[in-house]
Amino acid sequence: MTDKDKRHGSFSRWMQHRMNARTNRRIRRGRGTFMGMDVLILHTAGRRSGEPRETPVAWFEDAAGGEDTWLVVASGGTTRHPDWHLNLLGRPERASVELPGRTAVPVAARVLDGAERERAWRRVTEAQPRYAKYQSRSDRQYPLVRLTPR
């Protein structure tokens, strides 16, 4: 990795942090949509540091999971899962979600697989076809996570 790559990576992380903070403020002011999708704030803790993290994440209704159940897709990037997903799995006891007008709700996370994942993935891509396009450009299968209140 060159010095230029390192600087670019730092800048990208800084920009992502700023964009996330701006989106989180919008969600807290009651505007929980982004690019036509519903968005929540996912609270996790860093899997190594234990530091609190807040990440805006698009969510989808989960008819199979019942009321107050959310589906989130660990997309973003083509070669590895996003940090929020790794943090969620690394410290699941610290996970919660915050929706517009609501306080944070502690959640349990379960990565879907098999036929259950396929049914849920179909619902996600019907609601937002862009996810099928993103998935087709990646070498990894995007994890689909069901969040339920605990």
Side-chain angles (χ1 to χ4, degrees):
M1 181 181 289
T2 67
D3 287 338
K4 183 179 179 182
D5 292 334
K6 290 178 187 174
R7 285 193 307 270
H8 177 71
S10 295
F11 178 76
S12 294
R13 283 189 297 279
W14 177 79
M15 281 301 295
Q16 186 66 49
H17 178 75
R18 295 217 17 162
M19 289 173 51
N20 285 355
R22 181 179 299 150
T23 303
N24 289 347
R25 285 191 300 273
R26 289 174 48 108
I27 293 168
R28 288 185 175 119
R29 287 194 306 255
R31 294 169 39 204
T33 59
F34 181 76
M35 294 177 55
M37 295 180 285
D38 292 321
V39 183
L40 56 77
I41 301 171
L42 179 63
H43 295 260
T44 59
R47 65 192 177 282
R48 292 186 301 260
S49 70
E51 293 294 316
R53 306 283 188 241
E54 296 180 349
T55 309
V57 179
W59 66 274
F60 300 88
E61 288 185 18
D62 183 14
E67 190 174 329
D68 281 343
T69 302
W70 308 273
L71 291 174
V72 293
V73 180
S75 61
T78 56
T79 59
R80 64 183 217 127
H81 300 321
D83 288 339
W84 67 259
H85 177 71
L86 300 173
N87 292 339
L88 179 64
L89 298 182
R91 294 183 181 255
E93 73 284 356
R94 301 267 307 268
S96 62
V97 296
E98 185 179 345
L99 290 115
R102 294 174 62 177
T103 58
V105 175
V107 293
R110 187 167 66 82
V111 178
L112 303 180
D113 60 4
E116 184 178 32
R117 183 196 184 281
E118 290 307 313
R119 285 189 299 274
W121 181 252
R122 216 173 5 261
R123 288 193 304 274
V124 167
T125 57
E126 285 170 2
Q128 285 296 331
R130 70 183 73 171
Y131 276 93
K133 184 174 156 184
Y134 299 156
Q135 179 64 81
S136 72
R137 295 179 181 166
S138 178
D139 292 334
R140 66 182 178 87
Q141 183 181 59
Y142 291 156
L144 188 55
V145 182
R146 175 176 289 140
L147 302 172
T148 55
R150 59 177 153 88

